[in-house]
Amino acid sequence: MGSLAGIGMGLAVIGAGIGIGNIGAKAMEAIARQPEAVGDIRANMILTAALVEGAALIAIVMAFLVG
Amino acid sequence: MKLSRIFFALVFGLLLAFTNTANAGGGNEGEGVDVEGIAFHHIADANVYNWNPWITMPLPCFLYNKDTGKWSTFLSSKFHFVGHHGDGSEIVKGYVLNAGSVMKIKNPTPEMMEGHMSIAGDHGHDSHDGHAHHLFSTELKTVDGKEKEVSYFEKDGQKFYLEDKTAWDFGVFGGEFTSFYDFSITKNVFSMFLVCLFMILVFLRITKMYKTNEGKAPSGVQGFFEPMIVFIQDEVAKPFLGKKWKQFLPFLLTIFFFILGLNLFGQVPFLGGSNVSGSLSVTLVLAVAAFLVVNISGNAHYWGHIVWMPGVPAWLKIAILTPVEIIGVFIKPITLMLRLFANITAGHMVMIIFVSLIFIARDAAGDGIAWLTSVGSIALTMFMMAIELLVAFIQAFVFTILTAAYLNASTEESHDHDHSDSHEHAAAH
């Protein structure tokens, strides 16, 4: 029972990891292209990463509850 | 050079203290340390406050028994603390103190309800070689077809079971719900009061300084906080809220500094590591506050787009859009609540588990390996503490900026509907 929940959490984290990794990569790229916009880009990066993280958190909590 | 030596002496001294602690606790069932138990105990709220490892501070308990309708008010020191696990050796009016939290006895005798008696009985504490954790035990029991772990203690040959703590769902989805209300000033509440008091003092002083220091460069505590206040104003309030930024800035600043203060207070070592912003009840209230502010200040344009999205066929609205949008109204605060809770709780847990690595190594491979592990474990813990410092700021910022983003969506003035991207824009929120 516990291991199933663990697998579910792991899957959720893979998705969120890919998503947040992409966000970070693109943000770095954008900052390199336009260093003067670093403030705006950073704030938006954190905001978007938080939204992705939200989806992963719901999955993790569901895994806790169902598993 | 000298300073670093003193530092290492201090660290190893503390380690020794911890080793003794773990020895006392780890001998429990003749096997290794119960890391899971330690981790969950570490993040849990409690009715005692351990300013570790030296001081145990009693806290006031306000308990209301739903069955008898009686209030019980006393200091938690009345449970008579034994050991360092926050167990109490006394029964007070049908309540006991198990691992720091007040629990009710399911099947108390009338004498237990009346006053105040010792769990171990008259024959003293020597029956269980003096160890506090032997007061309470757990066993697996089948309740409603499900196996559950229940706590109990034995007195005069009889088993007395304890009620489970209230679950996250307050009993709505079949979780536990205690038969008493606990209005106590717990460890979390006490820490919150401390942080609030500190914040009030600091911010009153800053306000005063803005009056006396007008036109001059900020100094002292004002200079420390001004960058953060200006940051929230310029990076969060103004870009997201446009003309209305002044109306919502106090709310955003309050949320930001409240969360930040609690996050940082939980990080201070040896202050009990109270996990206030990692407690679901606290983040629930914060999320509800955000939910109310967002939806009460929501204008007709916002509600119109939720209930009856313009420019979309009616069947699509009824079948998909309206239900999804209405669920979205509630999902937003739920994710706010979970995000803060999960991030802070995970931080606290990772920290205690890295420290526990030492004792896991000791159980697996003996003392020598444990000393070696401690070097890596301390390094990892310090690294995590640095990360958690960052997380404390990021999570406070994320909560604030997301609230601002939701406020932006709910207070935005209606665009001209001919404008091609206005629907896309509204749908994105």
Side-chain angles (χ1 to χ4, degrees), chain B residues 118-283:
Chain B
S118 173
I119 290 178
D122 295 332
H123 38 87
H125 305 282
D126 57 339
S127 54
H128 294 298
D129 58 72
H131 275 320
H133 48 266
H134 286 297
L135 282 175
F136 300 100
S137 327
T138 54
E139 66 176 22
L140 283 175
K141 232 185 159 190
T142 315
V143 186
D144 304 330
K146 268 193 229 163
E147 268 208 340
K148 270 186 8 187
E149 211 169 59
V150 288
S151 307
Y152 67 93
F153 64 91
E154 275 181 69
K155 185 175 164 59
D156 304 330
Q158 203 192 335
K159 277 185 183 173
F160 291 96
Y161 291 96
L162 304 182
E163 271 184 9
D164 275 331
K165 284 189 205 167
T166 301
W168 64 276
D169 60 353
F170 303 106
V172 178
F173 296 108
E176 293 300 327
F177 194 52
T178 50
S179 69
F180 70 101
Y181 294 128
D182 189 349
F183 294 100
S184 309
I185 308 294
T186 58
K187 177 177 147 186
N188 280 356
V189 179
F190 185 76
S191 317
M192 202 158 68
F193 283 166
L194 274 185
V195 171
C196 286
L197 190 73
F198 176 73
M199 287 284 167
I200 289 170
L201 289 178
V202 163
F203 279 91
L204 281 181
R205 188 169 162 74
I206 293 176
T207 327
K208 218 174 110 191
M209 282 173 103
Y210 269 111
K211 278 178 195 144
T212 55
N213 241 0
E214 210 185 341
K216 282 183 240 160
S219 63
V221 69
Q222 185 194 5
F224 183 75
F225 279 95
E226 182 159 311
M228 291 191 241
I229 297 171
V230 170
F231 175 73
I232 296 296
Q233 177 192 300
D234 288 350
E235 301 294 325
V236 179
K238 278 181 184 170
F240 279 96
L241 297 169
K243 274 176 251 158
K244 293 188 188 115
W245 68 272
K246 261 194 173 161
Q247 186 189 342
F248 294 112
L249 186 63
F251 176 64
L252 296 177
L253 282 175
T254 309
I255 280 196
F256 178 78
F257 282 106
F258 184 68
I259 296 175
L260 181 66
L262 291 175
N263 285 352
L264 290 178
F265 186 75
Q267 300 273 309
V268 184
F270 304 114
L271 284 192
S274 41
N275 186 23
V276 188
S277 45
S279 143
L280 258 185
S281 342
V282 174
T283 57

Side-chain angles (χ1 to χ4, degrees), chain B residues 390-407:
Chain B
L390 205 64
V391 167
F393 280 94
I394 289 180
Q395 288 309 317
F397 173 60
V398 161
F399 198 106
T400 318
I401 202 172
L402 283 174
T403 310
Y406 299 151
L407 268 172

Side-chain angles (χ1 to χ4, degrees), chain A residues 39-40 42-44 46-47 49-55 57-58 61 64-65, chain B residues 40 168 235 240 331 335 338-340 342-343 394-395 397-398 401-402 405-406:
Chain A
D40 285 347
R42 195 191 290 121
N44 280 311
I46 292 175
L47 181 68
L51 290 173
V52 173
E53 195 189 45
L57 283 177
I58 292 181
V61 170
F64 249 125
L65 296 183
Chain B
F40 278 99
W168 64 276
E235 301 294 325
F240 279 96
I331 289 281
T335 54
L338 291 178
R339 181 178 299 110
L340 184 59
N343 273 289
I394 289 180
Q395 288 309 317
F397 173 60
V398 161
I401 202 172
L402 283 174
Y406 299 151

